[in-house]
Amino acid sequence: MSTTRPKERIIERHLVDRCRELGVMCLKFTSPGHIGVPDRLLLGHDASGVAVTLFVEVKRPGGKPRPSQINRITEMRDHGAHAVIASTKAEVNAVLADYFTAPTTSFATRDPHAAPLPQLRAPIISGL
């Protein structure tokens, strides 16, 4: 019996289910005419009651973002939006903890460019 990597929809379903458990709104996000936009828009409050808006691009484990997705996330971050990529259930859990249940940095003071994109091994920094 061979083992296969979970499909993207399995990771996305985990995100949706965890958001439901946490009371975080998890909307499917599309923007006709704009390629590379993240899959999901999360709306909720962190543990301190601060409102959080977060875009999440979901990939299958080992999946890499397309150049259009990297460009769109960079553009969104340049405009002050918080956008991340999650490609495993563990990354989904870590993102939800970092932004909603156990944030180490206040959302109001968090730099949108500082969030790492796991598949790139470093944050996207505009202008580099």
Side-chain angles (χ1 to χ4, degrees), residues 93-124:
N93 294 340
V95 163
L96 293 175
D98 191 34
Y99 281 87
F100 294 97
T101 61
T104 56
T105 305
S106 167
F107 189 75
T109 62
R110 187 181 294 242
D111 178 3
H113 292 96
L117 300 176
Q119 297 77 5
L120 302 177
R121 303 277 187 252
I124 292 177

Side-chain angles (χ1 to χ4, degrees), residues 22-35:
L22 298 172
V24 173
M25 194 175 217
C26 184
L27 304 173
K28 184 73 173 169
F29 181 67
T30 60
S31 183
H34 296 92
I35 62 169

Side-chain angles (χ1 to χ4, degrees), residues 55-70:
F55 292 90
V56 180
E57 173 60 35
V58 179
K59 304 306 282 179
R60 71 181 307 150
K64 303 258 186 240
R66 295 185 312 272
S68 63
Q69 292 171 319
I70 293 169

Side-chain angles (χ1 to χ4, degrees), residues 44-96:
H45 293 87
D46 69 13
S48 300
V50 175
V52 175
T53 301
L54 178 66
F55 292 90
V56 180
E57 173 60 35
V58 179
K59 304 306 282 179
R60 71 181 307 150
K64 303 258 186 240
R66 295 185 312 272
S68 63
Q69 292 171 319
I70 293 169
N71 291 339
R72 184 64 65 194
I73 288 173
T74 300
E75 181 181 34
M76 292 172 79
R77 288 176 169 191
D78 288 347
H79 284 84
H82 292 263
V84 299
I85 295 175
S87 63
T88 65
K89 291 179 179 181
E91 288 174 3
V92 165
N93 294 340
V95 163
L96 293 175

Side-chain angles (χ1 to χ4, degrees), residues 13-26 96:
R13 180 83 253 155
H14 179 71
L15 173 64
V16 170
D17 291 344
R18 288 288 296 130
C19 284
R20 185 177 298 115
E21 291 170 10
L22 298 172
V24 173
M25 194 175 217
C26 184
L96 293 175

